[in-house]
Amino acid sequence: MHSIGESKITKILDKSSANVPLWREYNVNHLTRTYPAGVRVNSSNYNPTLAWSVGCQLVALNFQTNDSNMLMNDGRFKENGGCGYVLKPANVMGEEPGESLFKSGMKLKIR
């Protein structure tokens, strides 16, 4: 698991365009949390779409501030019946669009 501040996300992705697919690939099998910069003493929020677009699973925001970025977050997680969970798009999961998440012939062993 990686925990990355908002400023580092931008720095990594701005450094090289080749980092975008590499980070998406990493997030297919690993957990990444992003969080607001510590200099946000007024509890404002950063735009979560960049972190979502590269597959970050946990995008922390300052819930005490009801700004446009928090409203975007609320809307994103209401789109699945309000359950608070949204599946990643196929391209972030490392699959081709339309490809099944569950491969045929997969066996699950339960002990």
Side-chain angles (χ1 to χ4, degrees), residues 12-50:
I12 290 170
L13 298 178
D14 285 347
K15 188 174 185 178
S16 170
S17 61
N19 288 340
V20 174
L22 291 174
W23 203 359
R24 279 190 185 145
E25 184 179 330
Y26 176 83
N27 283 326
V28 169
N29 297 309
H30 296 87
L31 188 65
T32 301
R33 171 190 173 258
T34 63
Y35 55 88
V39 295
R40 290 184 179 272
V41 293
N42 64 350
S43 297
S44 60
N45 286 305
Y46 63 105
N47 188 335
T49 55
L50 180 60

Side-chain angles (χ1 to χ4, degrees), residues 34-106:
T34 63
Y35 55 88
V39 295
R40 290 184 179 272
V41 293
N42 64 350
S43 297
S44 60
N45 286 305
Y46 63 105
N47 188 335
T49 55
L50 180 60
W52 290 334
S53 70
V54 292
C56 295
Q57 296 86 350
L58 302 168
V59 180
L61 296 173
N62 293 309
F63 272 63
Q64 67 269 31
T65 304
N66 194 19
D67 58 10
S68 60
N69 293 316
M70 181 56 76
L71 293 173
M72 185 181 345
N73 184 71
D74 287 346
R76 172 116 172 102
F77 291 96
K78 285 184 180 177
E79 72 182 39
N80 194 15
C83 72
Y85 180 81
V86 178
L87 286 175
K88 291 183 189 181
N91 67 328
V92 176
M93 290 295 293
E95 301 174 351
E96 294 297 320
E99 187 178 335
S100 173
L101 288 174
F102 305 101
K103 310 289 186 233
S104 60
M106 181 183 279

